[in-house]
Amino acid sequence: MCYNNATCLVGFTDKGYKCVCPPGYTGDHCEKGKSYFALFNAVFTNLNASGRFGPTTLSSHYTGQDHDGQVTLSSGIQQWTVPYTGDYRIEAIGAAGGYDKLNNSAQYRGRGARIIGTFSLNKSEVIQILIGQEGGINKVDYSSGGGGGTFVVRGANKSLIIAGGGGGIKKLKSRHSGCDASSNSSGNPGYRSWSGGSNGHGAQIADTGRSGNLKQDDFLDSSSSP
């Protein structure tokens, strides 16, 4: 008996038949999934979305690619239906932080993390993918926001791989590793800044000026800015 839609040819072996396996399967009966990433290559992007909100349409972004027809979109999250059972190498990259109007600050922006892992996935299961978006670019003032993280989740909430986004900067004149995303569950401390978050939570300490709690006069100032 041949599995996984393999072609069964009569003769050829002492069993009286031979299984011709489809891509992604091996074994005498094509019962074993193999490392499908050698044959399947899909690149997921933020679909050209920017700012605080995720993409609202797939359009024809993946047309002609290996995952064409396998992806739907729901509330900015891409839902990918796995085409074959096997091992998939997944590389997740967090988005870079933004930069401000200071000359050359773009080259010192916080960099997102790059995390790689290999996971056994099953045909027809749905993987949820949220791609981080670049932090805001401030051409008016000194300061910018951080980049978004990239999340790959199995089912409703089982994380497979997460890559944090790079930190925001203010008047930065050189590169500082503390502004880059961390590769573990605790955030980096930044540069001349407050401690990062820990155990998957955001930072718990900040000042009352520009990094968390806005005072009323801050709000009035920002609303009257050009």
Side-chain angles (χ1 to χ4, degrees), residues 135-197:
I137 299 171
N138 191 345
K139 297 181 179 180
V140 178
D141 205 347
Y142 298 107
S143 69
S144 62
T150 291
F151 300 76
V152 181
V153 176
R154 172 177 249 157
N157 58 9
K158 184 178 180 180
S159 300
L160 292 179
I161 191 167
I162 297 173
I169 60 174
K170 179 179 180 180
K171 290 185 177 181
L172 209 57
K173 297 179 181 180
S174 60
R175 176 162 299 286
H176 298 278
S177 59
C179 298
D180 296 334
S182 169
S183 60
N184 55 51
S185 60
S186 296
N188 284 330
Y191 173 68
R192 294 182 179 177
S193 183
W194 302 97
S195 298

Side-chain angles (χ1 to χ4, degrees), residues 10-192:
V10 177
F12 296 99
T13 70
D14 55 2
K15 297 192 296 292
Y17 66 93
K18 175 182 179 181
C19 297
V20 179
C21 302
Y25 293 94
T26 60
D28 291 342
H29 305 281
C30 302
E31 75 282 7
K32 299 177 181 179
K34 69 175 184 178
S35 297
Y36 192 63
F37 56 75
L39 306 171
F40 179 91
N41 183 35
V43 178
F44 293 83
T45 73
N46 59 24
L47 304 175
N48 295 324
S50 61
R52 296 169 52 199
F53 303 103
T56 57
T57 178
L58 282 172
S59 188
S60 58
H61 200 84
Y62 297 141
T63 299
Q65 300 184 43
D66 285 4
H67 50 326
D68 186 0
Q70 301 170 8
V71 184
T72 59
L73 189 66
S74 176
S75 301
I77 299 174
Q78 300 178 57
Q79 298 176 325
W80 170 55
T81 300
V82 178
Y84 294 96
T85 296
D87 295 333
Y88 290 76
R89 178 181 184 270
I90 300 177
E91 177 178 341
I93 302 175
Y99 58 91
D100 58 26
K101 71 175 187 177
L102 188 71
N103 288 339
N104 301 318
S105 70
Q107 62 185 299
Y108 306 129
R109 57 164 66 183
R111 295 172 292 191
R114 177 173 178 259
I115 310 294
I116 301 173
T118 299
F119 304 90
S120 294
L121 305 181
N122 300 312
K123 180 179 179 179
S124 298
E125 74 170 307
V126 176
I127 303 299
Q128 300 195 76
I129 302 171
L130 177 64
I131 304 296
Q133 294 167 199
E134 181 183 71
I137 299 171
N138 191 345
K139 297 181 179 180
V140 178
D141 205 347
Y142 298 107
S143 69
S144 62
T150 291
F151 300 76
V152 181
V153 176
R154 172 177 249 157
N157 58 9
K158 184 178 180 180
S159 300
L160 292 179
I161 191 167
I162 297 173
I169 60 174
K170 179 179 180 180
K171 290 185 177 181
L172 209 57
K173 297 179 181 180
S174 60
R175 176 162 299 286
H176 298 278
S177 59
C179 298
D180 296 334
S182 169
S183 60
N184 55 51
S185 60
S186 296
N188 284 330
Y191 173 68
R192 294 182 179 177

